[in-house]
Amino acid sequence: MQPFQYIEPKSLDEAVALLAAQPGETQLIAGGSDLLSEIKEGVAAPRRLVSLAGIPGLRGIRETGGGLELGAMTTIAELAQHPAIRACYTALAQAAEELATPQIRNVGTLGGNLAQRPRCWYYRHPQTVCLKKGGDRCYALAGVSKYLCVTGGDRCYIVHPSDTAVALSVFDARVEIAGPRGTRTMPIGEFFIGPGQDLLRENGLEPGELVTRVLLPGQDEIPLGPPLQRGVGGISVPVRSLYLKARERETGDFALVSVAVAVALEGDTIRQARVCLGGVAPVPYRARPVEEYLRGQQVADVDAAHAGSLALPNPRPMADNGYKVPLTANLVTRAVGEVMSGG
Amino acid sequence: MPDAVPAAATTATIALEVNGRVHRLTVRHHWSLLDVLREQLDLTGAKRGCDRGECGACTVLLASRPVYSCQVLALQVGHRPVVTVEGLGESNILDPVQQAFLDNDGAQCGYCTPGFVMSARALLDDNPHPSDDEIRQALAGNLCRCNAYGRIIQSMRAMRDAAR
Ligand SMILES: Cc1cc2nc3c(=O)[nH]c(=O)nc-3n(C[C@H](O)[C@H](O)[C@H](O)COP(=O)(O)OP(=O)(O)OC[C@H]3O[C@@H](n4cnc5c(N)ncnc54)[C@H](O)[C@@H]3O)c2cc1C
Ligand code: SF4
Ligand code: FES
Ligand code: FES
């Protein structure tokens, strides 16, 4: 590995100042499970790593006003095991459980998971300088596109690799960001940006900014409806939810396609629905036609196969990834069916 | 890649607790825990397979949890205790997990074995009577190029059943 300096600041202000001072040469490190591979491959070459490990208050899960506050340094294993997440934000616990391997879940963090870089193997190759690395072409167009996007590509065709992002999207999570100009929060749907907006990055973090927390709204704020599941420790969230992930190997593998579904019921009527897809687009992709179809339906009347057929309105598969279109329809069909029959 | 940062700014002295002993070590900031275990402490039980967090041969326990030591910097360890395969058992008595792998032919070439043993130890410390599915889940981050999986799972089952 190329030498670098490792610094562990003791406060958020200090971390932000270090990051903002030499943004091109400095990079954040959380667990390191993604970043260290990039450095070993020469894809990233920071001269300085700023660790978040020594900053108090960034790790852990707290109950707040009916919802949950997830610190950016919380590990994936902690998300998967937390009783309130398992009971009330089930899709998130499932996404965490299905992510990578036990060893990575023990060190990998939520913040690192959201900010991880894409897995396109041309981008990850030490010797190729594609558009995402500031080069002049996309090598995937003439190469192998099996794992790339079927919608939303624009000169670059990555899929966003994060499993937690897909699950967080169906709970209307907000991302809290600290930076040189203070703190701001934004809906998770606005946090991620596609190549049309910026080829070089996958989220809207500005130089010197970092993710401090992810906020999961409780029933008072979430526009989903009345409580369905009584939660743990006073938390109740009005949704049934589910995460399904299709992959080539059962473990240690990224999603070919994944889907998170959350519905809020009032009696037997679906008051609100959220459906988000992973593995199909450069950002976590909200399947809004499926949401619209489900909203207002009686549970017994839902045609899951029809819901599945609506998931990707205008797919534009590449040479080797046409399989993702029927795979998405089938996975959404299964997820909607399972949620309707009790999740 | 040129060494752009002066070496003095990228060297640190740390206290690292490994297998119950605290070592004072001078390390470069970019050295992984695996680098330090193998090259400085001569603990070569943890193996370097992929060096990318993908194979599990380098698995050690960090604060009782299995991690890939190739994907953790030595400086990230802090005060948390590290246990390697050399830290299991007594001088002449194998840990029950090691004994079970021996008795059940849980290894072929043996390269992956220390990693599997550490993942197995972590599982059994948490859960002495794991189901078959829990065994598979706990070992899911370890690869075996010899495809000894059947015997590895068998070793785990034998251990669990003996503990009943
Ligand atoms: C074999 C293998 C399998 C994997 N499988 C999956 C999978 O199935 N699903 C999945 O989602 N991921 C997977 N990953 C990717 C990744 O390791 C995990 O997502 C992990 O959660 C990353 O977290 P980390 O703390 O280790 O990140 P790091 O490696 O420390 O950081 C990753 C990136 O995020 C930035 N960053 C870290 N924290 C913050 C923050 N708070 N604010 C802003 N930026 C930040 C860093 O600068 C860096 O660029 C896998 C990785 C490996 C090696
Ligand atoms: S898809 Fe994007 S990351 Fe992959 S080669 Fe093309 S430009 Fe690079
Ligand atoms: S050597 Fe660490 S996971 Fe392969
Ligand atoms: S026994 Fe040879 S790699 Fe597993």
Side-chain angles (χ1 to χ4, degrees):
Chain A
M1 218 176 342
Q2 157 234 329
F4 47 73
Q5 187 181 16
Y6 174 92
I7 307 175
E8 224 173 75
K10 294 285 171 263
S11 74
L12 198 54
D13 288 348
E14 211 185 317
V16 167
L18 281 165
L19 281 174
Q22 284 153 328
E25 303 188 340
T26 307
Q27 233 177 317
L28 267 180
I29 181 165
S33 63
D34 182 40
L35 180 62
L36 294 177
S37 291
E38 285 212 313
I39 297 175
K40 287 173 184 175
E41 298 290 355
V43 175
R47 294 176 55 156
R48 201 148 74 161
L49 294 188
V50 175
S51 165
L52 299 180
I55 302 172
L58 286 186
R59 181 162 179 183
I61 299 165
R62 276 220 316 259
E63 301 182 7
T64 51
L68 290 180
E69 226 179 69
L70 316 174
M73 290 296 283
T74 307
T75 65
I76 303 300
E78 287 162 349
L79 293 179
Q81 286 151 9
H82 195 271
I85 295 181
R86 294 176 74 91
C88 304
Y89 305 89
T90 312
L92 178 59
Q94 290 167 333
E97 216 161 27
E98 304 261 302
L99 193 155
T101 62
Q103 289 94 324
I104 288 174
R105 295 196 291 273
N106 284 336
V107 299
T109 66
L110 175 60
N113 191 258
L114 297 179
Q116 64 176 304
R117 302 307 312 275
R119 305 307 289 197
C120 170
W121 56 41
Y122 302 102
Y123 162 76
R124 292 270 167 169
H125 194 282
Q127 261 105 47
T128 47
V129 183
C130 70
L131 282 168
K132 181 154 277 303
K133 288 168 158 172
D136 65 358
R137 79 190 69 175
C138 169
Y139 289 91
L141 284 176
V144 178
S145 52
K146 184 174 176 189
Y147 302 112
L148 298 176
C149 71
V150 291
T151 190
D154 181 349
R155 294 162 294 154
C156 168
Y157 302 89
I158 58 153
V159 295
H160 201 284
S162 168
D163 284 307
T164 65
V166 175
L168 288 167
S169 299
V170 299
F171 299 114
D172 292 353
R174 296 180 70 83
V175 181
E176 184 188 273
I177 293 165
R181 289 191 302 268
T183 300
R184 59 187 178 126
T185 69
M186 61 169 80
I188 191 154
E190 288 167 27
F191 176 73
F192 295 102
I193 59 177
Q197 249 178 296
D198 193 335
L199 278 167
L200 300 179
R201 52 187 187 154
E202 297 78 52
N203 57 61
L205 290 175
E206 301 294 340
E209 285 191 325
L210 61 104
V211 175
T212 46
R213 263 173 280 275
V214 173
L215 313 171
L216 282 170
Q219 59 177 348
D220 300 338
E221 303 127 82
I222 205 168
L224 280 172
L228 225 204
Q229 290 185 348
R230 293 311 308 182
V232 178
I235 297 179
S236 60
V237 159
V239 290
R240 282 186 201 173
S241 68
L242 178 75
Y243 187 74
L244 293 180
K245 176 175 177 178
R247 54 198 151 163
E248 286 182 323
R249 298 190 308 151
E250 264 184 65
T251 178
D253 221 354
F254 291 87
L256 296 170
V257 175
S258 68
V259 58
V261 176
V263 296
L265 301 183
E266 196 169 71
D268 286 331
T269 308
I270 300 171
R271 270 202 39 180
Q272 189 54 282
R274 296 272 186 272
V275 181
C276 188
L277 302 173
V280 301
V283 296
Y285 179 84
R286 282 279 291 278
R288 292 180 199 274
V290 183
E291 298 177 0
E292 275 156 37
Y293 165 69
L294 292 174
R295 204 173 297 135
Q297 291 264 13
Q298 295 293 109
V299 169
D301 296 343
V302 168
D303 177 348
H306 181 64
S309 74
L310 298 172
L312 282 173
N314 295 301
R316 297 191 51 194
M318 303 171 71
D320 314 308
N321 66 6
Y323 73 94
K324 285 194 178 186
V325 177
L327 180 57
T328 304
N330 289 339
L331 205 63
V332 171
T333 300
R334 231 179 83 196
V336 168
E338 284 186 30
V339 168
M340 292 310 140
S341 63
Chain B
M1 192 74 56
D3 188 343
V5 189
T10 59
T11 304
T13 303
I14 58 168
L16 192 69
E17 185 187 331
V18 182
N19 300 334
R21 266 190 58 195
V22 178
H23 303 264
R24 283 192 74 77
L25 299 167
T26 300
V27 301
R28 298 293 306 276
H29 288 196
H30 66 282
W31 286 354
S32 68
L33 174 58
L34 181 65
D35 292 336
V36 170
L37 292 174
R38 292 182 60 87
E39 317 295 338
Q40 289 206 293
L41 297 179
D42 251 355
L43 294 170
T44 52
K47 299 285 183 272
R48 193 186 307 273
C50 64
D51 207 29
R52 297 290 185 279
E54 291 171 6
C55 75
C58 66
T59 301
V60 301
L61 304 186
L62 177 60
S64 310
R65 304 250 148 241
V67 304
Y68 296 138
S69 60
C70 71
Q71 285 299 73
V72 173
L73 297 173
L75 284 181
Q76 287 180 290
V77 172
H79 299 300
R80 295 176 289 174
V82 175
V83 178
T84 70
V85 73
E86 290 91 343
L88 299 187
E90 308 293 325
S91 55
N92 285 321
I93 307 165
L94 293 177
D95 183 275
V97 175
Q98 293 171 307
Q99 192 64 50
F101 272 63
L102 196 60
D103 295 344
N104 294 277
D105 273 341
Q108 288 184 31
C109 78
Y111 199 80
C112 68
T113 313
F116 270 99
V117 167
M118 297 316 286
S119 289
R121 186 69 267 163
L123 167 66
L124 295 167
D125 286 345
D126 263 8
N127 176 3
H129 302 290
S131 65
D132 285 2
D133 195 49
E134 286 167 335
I135 291 172
R136 279 195 206 91
Q137 293 295 334
L139 301 182
N142 294 75
L143 297 182
C144 174
R145 282 299 300 268
C146 299
N147 197 9
Y149 296 109
R151 287 292 182 161
I152 291 168
I153 304 279
Q154 174 58 34
S155 308
M156 295 292 291
R157 281 200 193 119
M159 236 200 106
R160 171 198 62 198
D161 297 343
R164 279 244 153 82

